[in-house]
Amino acid sequence: GNSVTQMEGPVTLSEEAFLTINCTYTATGYPSLFWYVQYPGEGLQLLLKATKADDKGSNKGFEATYRKETTSFHLEKGSVQVSDSAVYFCALTPSGGYQKVTFGTGTKLQVIP
Amino acid sequence: GAGVSQSPSNKVTEKGKDVELRCDPISGHTALYWYRQSLGQGLEFLIYFQGNSAPDKSGLPSDRFSAERTGGSVSTLTIQRTQQEDSAVYLCASSLVINRGNTEAFFGQGTRLTVV
C-alpha cells in the first residue's frame, strides 16, 4: 500500500535558520504530493503541492521538489520565522482509481526568537 | 458555506453515552474523510468515502465506531458507549476526485470531544 514517512519531531530552530523537513513516500505510479500545515489552534490547510516528477511546489517562502528517483518531497525554507511554528504534514494522493490521501505522522516545528 | 463544516465544535459527554458528530463537506466533493487527532499527536485515519464505492473502514479503532454518508453529502460519525480514550479532536475533510489524482483535501475545524 501507499505510505509516507517524514522525519521525527519536534524540530527547534532559531529565527532565520534554514529549515529542512524530510519526507519520503512509497506508492505505485505517479502520485501527487502535498505539504499541509497546522498552526496552533487551527485546522489543517494546504501549504503546497506538486503533481508530477521534478515539479516544485512553493508558497510562503517554503519549497518542495518532487523527486521521483529518490521518492522524496522534502520541505525547505531558507529563513524561518517565529510565525512558521506549526505542525507540518507530508501527504500523497495516488493517480487514478481510489484516491485516498495518505498522510505522514507530522513534524512539529518550533522557531525561537 | 464555502468550506467543510463540522458540528458541534465542542462536545462533552459522559462515559458510556453515544455521540454523533456531523460533517458537511464542500458541495460537489465526492470524497470524504474522518480523522482523529489526539493532543500533540498526528492524524489517525478512521474512514474514507469515495463516491458510490464501498467505504474504507480500515482505520476504525473498534466496533463502537461507525460512520455513514447519506446521499453522497453529509456524513455522521457515531461513537457508541464512549470511553475516556475516545477524547480527541475529530477532523473531517473532503476532496474533489479527478482523474489525475491531485485532489487537495479541505479540512473542517474539527469537533473536540471530551469524555468525562
Side-chain angles (χ1 to χ4, degrees), chain A residues 42-62:
Chain A
E42 298 186 15
L44 274 86
Q45 56 187 282
L46 181 69
L47 178 61
L48 54 83
K49 69 179 183 182
T51 59
K52 61 183 187 294
D54 300 323
D55 265 3
K56 178 185 286 187
S58 60
N59 187 23
K60 300 182 180 180
F62 290 89

Side-chain angles (χ1 to χ4, degrees), chain B:
Chain B
V4 177
S5 178
Q6 291 187 246
S7 59
S9 55
N10 281 283
K11 176 71 175 179
V12 180
T13 189
E14 292 181 352
K15 178 181 174 181
K17 300 284 190 183
D18 297 352
V19 295
E20 286 189 351
L21 311 180
R22 177 186 169 103
C23 174
D24 284 89
I26 293 173
S27 178
H29 279 194
T30 50
L32 186 145
Y33 308 75
W34 283 98
Y35 293 89
R36 178 166 71 175
Q37 189 173 36
S38 301
L39 187 62
Q41 302 298 312
L43 297 173
E44 180 184 1
F45 167 74
L46 297 178
I47 190 168
Y48 172 64
F49 298 90
Q50 179 173 319
N52 295 322
S53 301
D56 178 354
K57 304 180 181 180
S58 61
L60 295 178
S62 76
D63 59 7
R64 296 187 296 106
F65 288 73
S66 63
E68 62 178 21
R69 189 177 185 194
T70 54
S73 181
V74 172
S75 178
T76 302
L77 176 69
T78 301
I79 309 173
Q80 296 178 311
R81 305 181 303 281
T82 52
Q83 304 295 312
Q84 288 185 329
E85 61 263 29
D86 299 335
S87 297
V89 176
Y90 288 81
L91 297 171
C92 178
S94 71
S95 65
L96 178 62
V97 175
I98 57 177
N99 287 336
R100 182 58 183 86
N102 56 347
T103 50
E104 172 190 351
F106 293 83
F107 282 82
Q109 291 299 306
T111 294
R112 181 175 299 278
L113 175 66
T114 305
V115 182
V116 297

